[in-house]
Amino acid sequence: ERAASLRDEILFRQPESTHYGDCPICCLPLPIDTDKSYLTGCCSKLICNGCYHANAVRELEQKCPFCRHRFPKTDEESDKNLMKRVAASDPVAMRQLGGKCQNEGDYDSSFEYFSKAARLGNIDAHLHLSVMYEEGKGVGKDEKMQMYHLEEAAIAGHPDARCNLGCHEVIDERFDRAVKHLIIAANLGHDKATRALKVCYAEGHVSKEVFAAALRA
């Protein structure tokens, strides 16, 4: 019981920011919308679109604004760079390769790379592993491991993972826990969590004051 209480204390702590952190160029928080940022293929850094555009306008030859290497011009070059980063135990590259294997239907390799990436601290890999344990692809179905990886991603500031936890709690009719998760996700800027909170408010699971505070955040 004490262990469960300590776990909840960690689980329901509001992260300072999302798992994306800040852009390494301008040091402003990265948006949770991945269409508004760019993952470099040379050094596996996620930079905001603003810095990417400013670099593209300034440079005659397109170079990475972080490591200053020339951007790959072909898919073959990109794949070669990816494997270099994987060989260097880059968790972001391992997560990328895991996603590539998954898209190709190689779920065993995908699980292997996601697992390595998660052990090295990649938060997106935890969310991918949660889905794989839920669907039983590349690994046997395991609800305990599914929830473990989902919670690890949420604790680290992954808005999607946090919102998913809230939805799981709604299904289990544990609305007090669901609301806590959804408020944390909404505070991180997750629109789906805000809409889910609105439904909870309409059904009487959230007070007017708590709902208004979540909207202000």
Side-chain angles (χ1 to χ4, degrees):
E1 189 177 333
R2 175 60 178 161
S5 176
L6 288 173
R7 178 67 173 178
D8 277 356
E9 187 178 327
I10 296 170
L11 181 60
F12 290 112
R13 192 176 294 155
Q14 177 73 49
E16 292 183 6
S17 65
T18 71
H19 65 299
Y20 293 123
D22 298 336
C23 171
I25 307 301
C26 65
C27 298
L28 293 175
L30 286 162
I32 64 173
D33 183 353
T34 53
D35 289 335
K36 295 180 180 178
S37 56
Y38 178 82
L39 182 63
T40 63
C42 43
C43 56
S44 301
K45 294 296 181 183
L46 193 65
I47 61 175
C48 70
N49 280 356
C51 288
Y52 176 78
H53 176 71
N55 181 68
V57 170
R58 183 177 63 247
E59 298 286 347
L60 292 176
E61 183 184 13
Q62 294 304 296
K63 294 180 180 178
C64 173
F66 186 82
C67 71
R68 308 307 296 156
H69 279 82
R70 180 178 61 81
F71 282 134
K73 293 182 178 179
T74 64
D75 290 341
E76 186 178 355
E77 271 191 88
S78 294
D79 290 342
K80 188 177 178 181
N81 283 346
L82 177 62
M83 297 313 296
K84 261 190 198 176
R85 300 302 304 167
V86 169
S89 297
D90 184 327
V92 176
M94 286 186 179
R95 192 267 303 163
Q96 281 183 280
L97 187 54
K100 186 178 179 183
C101 292
Q102 191 175 51
N103 292 336
E104 294 169 354
D106 185 358
Y107 295 107
D108 291 340
S109 296
S110 177
F111 179 78
E112 179 185 349
Y113 285 116
F114 283 148
S115 296
K116 287 180 180 178
R119 285 196 294 272
L120 289 169
N122 186 267
I123 306 309
D124 283 315
H126 278 293
L127 184 58
H128 285 299
L129 286 170
S130 173
V131 174
M132 294 188 84
Y133 276 111
E134 180 182 17
E135 297 179 348
K137 291 182 177 179
V139 66
K141 288 187 177 183
D142 188 327
E143 187 177 354
K144 186 177 180 181
M145 290 301 294
Q146 173 200 345
M147 296 308 294
Y148 166 76
H149 285 290
L150 197 58
E151 287 182 358
E152 286 298 298
I155 289 168
H158 201 305
D160 289 336
R162 182 66 69 174
C163 186
N164 288 353
L165 279 175
C167 292
H168 276 290
E169 298 290 11
V170 167
I171 292 169
D172 292 338
E173 296 186 352
R174 299 197 293 184
F175 296 108
D176 56 333
R177 294 176 67 86
V179 167
K180 288 179 183 179
H181 284 306
L182 294 174
I183 287 174
I184 292 172
N187 287 342
L188 291 172
H190 200 280
D191 291 337
K192 183 181 175 183
T194 304
R195 292 194 296 271
L197 267 178
K198 188 176 181 180
V199 173
C200 289
Y201 171 67
E203 293 178 354
H205 302 302
V206 185
S207 69
K208 183 178 180 181
E209 292 76 16
V210 169
F211 181 58
L215 289 180
R216 284 196 296 273

